[in-house]
Amino acid sequence: MSQHRHPGAPGRAGAVPALPDLPEATVARLPEYLRALHNLAETGHETVSSEGLASAAGVNSAKLRKDLSHLGSYGTRGVGYDVALLIDQIEFVLGLTQRRAVALVGVGNLGHALAGYDGFASRGFRIAALFDADPDRVGEEINGLVVRHVDELPRVAAEEAIAIGVIATPAPAAQAVADQLVAVGVTSILNFAPCVLSVPEGVDVRKVDLAIELQILSFHEHRKASLTALPATGGSALTALPGGLAVTDTQEAIGT
């Protein structure tokens, strides 16, 4: 997904000029920089070095400087980056200068937690509507919003100018919900359901699968355990893999 900045964009003095398309990896890291910058601003910091910001965002400083150079931000030697200005620049690039209306479909345990999360408002988003197909959920009030039946989506999406749809339904219902969101003009979807959605070209889907993240962490736990189990002499004990294949612990540890 590409991000563009238009000439004449609002901002502080020295705001960046029109932007070219940004690398996807850079776009993915900008929210981390923004989170770190907000934390710095809240603690009274007016400037930050590339090393300090990189450390706060969990990346290396060379990568950070390259990412920010795409925004036209190079910092000042001996001073670093202006925190407030960089917040303005990143928020503009991410389209956070307006509060985007979000519709959440599916208010089970996960959806209920998402609906009650206050952090969205402070980052430029407004949960504008909640939907569910379960009659027992419809009419429930969560964080000041009443859960509506999903059949009301077309009317409410138009009234609230819904920009982003969040799907937190069970997997079997997710595709139908995605179809409904696309039908009412939503072209950005955040999917928490454990499934792959089929959407038309021009519709962006971001998938959040907590089980997959846990499986990735499980791999790292397995790898760390295999490293600590290596013989002190540097030998090569064999580890049996499914299917009868055997590799040495050293091979397993380094992925060969």
Side-chain angles (χ1 to χ4, degrees):
M1 180 174 60
S2 300
Q3 303 284 340
H4 301 270
R5 181 181 176 104
H6 297 284
R12 300 162 64 92
V16 296
L19 282 177
D21 289 348
L22 299 181
E24 190 69 25
T26 295
V27 175
R29 286 188 290 268
L30 289 181
E32 293 294 340
Y33 303 153
L34 186 59
R35 174 192 55 78
L37 286 163
H38 275 293
N39 289 339
L40 288 165
E42 288 165 6
T43 54
H45 290 79
E46 295 184 356
T47 61
V48 61
S49 67
S50 58
E51 291 79 10
L53 182 54
S55 176
V59 302
N60 67 65
S61 57
K63 184 176 293 184
L64 177 138
R65 286 192 293 269
K66 183 175 181 181
D67 287 340
L68 297 185
S69 72
H70 291 296
L71 280 64
S73 292
Y74 298 94
T76 302
R77 184 177 297 276
V79 176
Y81 295 93
D82 181 311
V83 170
L85 174 58
L86 197 50
I87 287 174
D88 284 351
Q89 292 173 334
I90 294 177
E91 286 187 343
F92 188 92
V93 170
L94 293 178
L96 302 179
T97 53
Q98 54 181 302
R99 288 170 59 83
R100 296 187 183 278
V102 177
L104 171 62
V105 185
V107 290
N109 292 335
L110 177 59
H112 199 287
L114 291 171
Y117 177 54
D118 292 329
F120 293 125
S122 64
R123 293 296 182 263
F125 300 95
R126 176 175 63 90
I127 302 297
L130 307 175
F131 299 95
D132 205 289
D134 184 350
D136 292 335
R137 296 282 187 184
V138 175
E140 180 181 355
E141 184 173 323
I142 305 173
N143 209 21
L145 288 175
V146 175
V147 178
R148 305 168 186 263
H149 193 278
V150 71
D151 288 346
E152 295 187 57
L153 179 59
R155 176 181 60 80
V156 177
E159 290 176 353
E160 298 290 345
I162 299 298
I164 298 172
V166 177
I167 299 176
T169 66
Q175 183 61 57
V177 170
D179 293 342
Q180 289 174 286
L181 288 168
V182 171
V184 299
V186 173
T187 58
S188 294
I189 297 173
L190 182 62
N191 178 32
F192 283 91
C195 63
V196 176
L197 299 177
S198 176
V199 296
E201 184 177 354
V203 176
D204 293 305
V205 177
R206 297 286 298 181
K207 187 172 184 290
V208 181
D209 192 321
L210 301 180
I212 287 177
E213 298 303 321
L214 287 172
Q215 288 170 339
I216 293 170
L217 288 174
S218 176
F219 161 77
H220 290 294
E221 283 298 305
H222 177 67
R223 183 176 182 275
K224 286 182 285 189
S226 69
L227 286 171
T228 57
L230 286 175
T233 58
S236 56
L238 291 176
T239 299
L241 295 178
L245 179 64
V247 298
T248 67
D249 284 342
T250 304
Q251 289 173 319
E252 180 185 37
I254 64 175
T256 57

